[in-house]
Amino acid sequence: MNTLERAEAAEHALSEELDRLVIMKSAIYTSGERDPRAPMTRPSGEGKTFLMGHDPRLPLMPEKPTLFDFFKLRFAPANHLLQSARLAQKNGLDEKLILACLLHDIGILGFIRADHGYWAAQLVEPYVDPEVSWAIRYHQALRFYADESVGYKYPELYTKLFGPEYRPEPHIERAYKTACAHKWYMTARLLTVNDLYAFDPNVTVELEDFTDIVGRNFRQPAEGLGFDDSPSAHMWRTINWPTRYL
Ligand SMILES: [Fe+2]
Ligand SMILES: [Fe+2]
């Protein structure tokens, strides 16, 4: 078989497999596009089985997936994270902060955008130093507040995205005040300082550049992320198998 024939055979096998499966979307995926109160219609599934594992439309994850497997197979191109981590490294920040920069937006890239700082913090909490997950959680709020002492201004991008009238909601304001009074404030603040959208197009950063830092600071579970029974294992499993019926 030549390359084209192999590609065609693979496509054929995939479409046959999809014909045998019922794959449904979770309510959260479509809420807004449809009224989540409307009754869910379950396809009849006559002669088919409901998907209970890997979605054949996605790249298959290894049995014991690592953090980098998630970066490569489930997260959108992570340039923003790589560039932020690189900047933190260039600025001479310690490894905890470099790791926090590398992980801070995985909520957006691979899970749920709303409240992304909280989701990302929860995902990584069992595997990192508490200061790292704390900084990731609070970058969500601190991004909206300037701190001239470190040259952090309200992002121009936010004015563009949310309009000049936007003011953070009371829960964000509360989180900001909590963060300001905390001993780790500067860790989260330095995360926001290195959380930049102005990239250097001449620099390519590879995930592998951070292999050692991740190795020393992220407690990769031997069973693989999602299969270690940690408090966030189910969240990693959902990213791995996002369309499982149950
Ligand atoms: Fe963020
Ligand atoms: Fe970011």
Side-chain angles (χ1 to χ4, degrees), residues 80-81 84 104-105 139 143 195 197:
H80 168 59
L81 299 183
S84 299
H104 76 279
D105 281 341
H139 97 275
R143 279 295 255 151
D195 184 355
Y197 292 103

Side-chain angles (χ1 to χ4, degrees), residues 168-237:
E169 294 76 6
H171 72 277
I172 299 179
E173 174 89 26
R174 266 198 317 276
Y176 167 64
K177 288 189 174 142
T178 303
C180 285
H182 198 281
K183 62 178 173 179
W184 290 333
Y185 167 76
M186 206 29 90
T187 313
R189 176 49 78 193
L190 287 174
L191 168 47
T192 69
V193 170
N194 290 276
D195 184 355
L196 280 189
Y197 292 103
F199 299 135
D200 185 344
N202 302 313
V203 178
T204 44
V205 193
E206 303 293 336
L207 192 54
E208 282 69 22
D209 297 347
F210 303 101
T211 303
D212 292 346
I213 289 179
V214 168
R216 283 191 290 270
N217 297 278
F218 188 91
R219 289 183 294 275
Q220 175 67 50
E223 304 86 341
L225 285 168
F227 304 105
D228 56 330
D229 302 332
S230 84
S232 67
H234 60 290
M235 296 164 69
W236 292 97
R237 277 200 306 276

Side-chain angles (χ1 to χ4, degrees), residues 61-67 69-70 220-221 223-227 240:
M61 296 277 283
E63 243 170 76
K64 298 175 180 177
T66 64
L67 179 66
D69 291 325
F70 277 91
Q220 175 67 50
E223 304 86 341
L225 285 168
F227 304 105
N240 187 346

